[in-house]
Amino acid sequence: MLYVLDKQNSVLGNFIKEIRSVEVQNDLLRFRKNIERIAQVMCYEISKTLNYKTESVKTPLGVAPTNVVADKIVVASILRAGLAMHNGVLDYFDGAENCFVSAYRKYIDENNFDVHIEYIAAPSLEGKTIILCDPMLATGSSMELAYKALFSHGSPARVIVCSIVSTEYAVDYISKVMPNCDIYTAVLDPELNSHKYIVPGLGDCGDLAFGEKL
Ligand code: URA
């Protein structure tokens, strides 16, 4: 199932405008904060699809039954840009476990690259609900490799892909190679340029959040 959050008007549009804007996006702190805020809004939407259990809570005046999340959640972020979303997700699922996967583009020439995974740090993922974060879903190839790497740590009950800007190409690709996953994206952009950057997109999300790399 694909969820595109900006299909419905909300304050999310303000955050998206700022991360895209060449006039605002170079403020690193503000950029990271906006990515975190978008991740929080996304988690609220995701939370509507989770499993719940009823627990009683003692108030000063009595006992109130309350439905709380029953899923065992693992927040998994693809390094480095996924880190910008990670704390936003943890703000909502504060008891969640954490997983980190590295994916990088190894360029063969100016326009062609392979994606490599070289590092994964994760708890057991058996039977858990994985929230897999990568803010830019350009081709879907990093996401596919990260997803496959997760299975070295057990079989999750559910994998939820969380992105901020995705292309239709990547969404179609992921739906084929990761057929049981749900995909949440804040926006869906039309195209990729020859360097596989999303257009209109926002530029290099990792650089904007954490500074330019060599
Ligand atoms: N990664 C980014 O940071 N931006 C893109 O447009 C595509 C991949």
Side-chain angles (χ1 to χ4, degrees), residues 107-179:
Y107 279 88
I108 301 157
D109 57 39
E110 206 191 332
N111 293 328
N112 295 296
F113 59 84
D114 294 327
V115 177
H116 290 261
I117 297 281
E118 63 177 5
Y119 171 82
I120 175 164
S124 165
L125 304 179
E126 191 66 36
K128 296 181 184 165
T129 298
I130 317 300
I131 299 183
L132 182 53
C133 303
D134 190 352
M136 307 301 285
L137 221 51
T139 63
S141 40
S142 311
M143 187 57 80
E144 180 192 10
L145 289 185
Y147 172 76
K148 286 182 177 157
L150 295 181
F151 285 81
S152 61
H153 286 65
S155 297
R158 184 178 175 203
V159 177
I160 303 167
V161 169
C162 284
S163 168
I164 293 186
V165 185
S166 304
T167 60
E168 287 176 22
Y169 174 90
V171 164
D172 286 348
Y173 182 74
I174 284 173
S175 308
K176 281 189 199 108
V177 296
M178 300 161 53

Side-chain angles (χ1 to χ4, degrees), residues 81 105 136 138 192 196-198 201-206:
R105 290 178 170 191
M136 307 301 285
L192 286 171
K196 302 281 194 291
Y197 274 78
I198 302 173
L202 53 81
D204 190 305
C205 190

Side-chain angles (χ1 to χ4, degrees), residues 41-94:
V41 172
M42 195 166 277
C43 286
Y44 179 68
E45 293 302 322
I46 289 170
S47 76
K48 296 175 186 171
T49 71
L50 297 174
N51 298 299
Y52 283 80
K53 60 185 176 197
T54 305
E55 288 183 353
S56 294
V57 60
K58 194 164 167 278
T59 77
L61 301 174
V63 174
T66 314
N67 291 344
V68 294
V69 174
D71 296 48
K72 291 193 169 104
I73 292 179
V74 179
V75 187
S77 290
I78 302 181
L79 302 179
R80 129 185 102 127
L83 285 182
M85 297 178 80
H86 200 94
N87 281 343
V89 179
L90 285 181
D91 282 343
Y92 270 49
F93 302 118
D94 37 287

